[in-house]
């Protein structure tokens, strides 16, 4: 007897399905994933390991709102890419992947307040990771098609 059935998912939450729908639903999904990930990354960036007695400040100095704007733009690009791909082919966990990438990028950007070149490299890494995830989904989707359908 299996305790956790790998094929069981909640109703309407299938991982192995294409997510077609109207444009506004895709837009709301992208905005929701990005907003939740940025909020969670913002909250998690407020915590530090160790007390201030050891020289670890609670938050580094620097502007907050420009970083949040850059994280939002990056998150919208990454989540939009994941959602657009999942509307056409099967992508495993686009919401979880998008949330994790944006949350981690926000956490690192707000936690360390990097200089613009490092921030741009981090933003490019988030979008590149989303593109690689979508490319892998497209590659496995193409490999699953019969030879006559290619």
């Amino acid at each position: 007897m299996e305790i956790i059935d790998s094929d069981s998912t909640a109703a309407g939450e299938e991982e192995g399905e294409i997510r077609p729908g109207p444009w506004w639903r895709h837009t709301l999904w992208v905005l929701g994933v990005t907003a939740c990930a940025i909020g969670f990354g913002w909250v998690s960036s407020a915590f530090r390991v160790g007390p201030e007695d050891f020289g670890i400040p609670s938050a580094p100095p620097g502007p907050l709102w420009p970083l949040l704007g850059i994280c939002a733009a990056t998150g919208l690009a990454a989540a939009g890419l994941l959602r657009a791909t999942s509307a056409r082919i099967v992508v495993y966990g686009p919401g979880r992947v998008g949330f994790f990438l944006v949350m981690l990028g926000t956490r690192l950007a707000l936690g360390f307040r990097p200089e613009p070149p490092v921030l741009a490299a981090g933003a490019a890494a988030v979008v590149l990771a989303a593109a690689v995830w979508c490319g892998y989904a497209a590659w496995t989707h193409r490999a699953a098609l019969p030879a006559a359908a290619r």
Side-chain angles (χ1 to χ4, degrees), residues 25-149:
R25 189 179 306 163
H26 296 303
T27 304
L28 285 177
W29 185 90
V30 168
L31 289 172
V33 166
T34 303
C36 290
I38 287 177
F40 194 82
W42 188 354
V43 168
S44 69
S45 71
F47 298 104
R48 294 279 180 225
V49 178
E52 288 190 31
D53 298 340
F54 297 117
I56 302 172
S58 60
L64 176 70
W65 294 107
L67 288 174
L68 284 175
I70 291 169
C71 291
T74 303
L76 290 173
L81 178 64
L82 287 163
R83 184 63 178 199
T85 305
S86 68
R88 289 173 179 74
I89 61 173
V90 176
V91 178
Y92 180 75
R96 283 180 245 156
V97 171
F99 179 85
F100 176 75
L101 289 173
V102 176
M103 187 272 305
L104 186 61
T106 303
R107 164 66 174 108
L108 291 174
L110 294 179
F112 295 106
R113 311 268 168 103
E115 296 295 321
V118 177
L119 186 62
V126 167
V127 175
L128 180 65
V132 166
W133 192 262
C134 293
Y136 179 72
W139 180 55
T140 57
H141 175 73
R142 179 157 170 81
L145 288 176

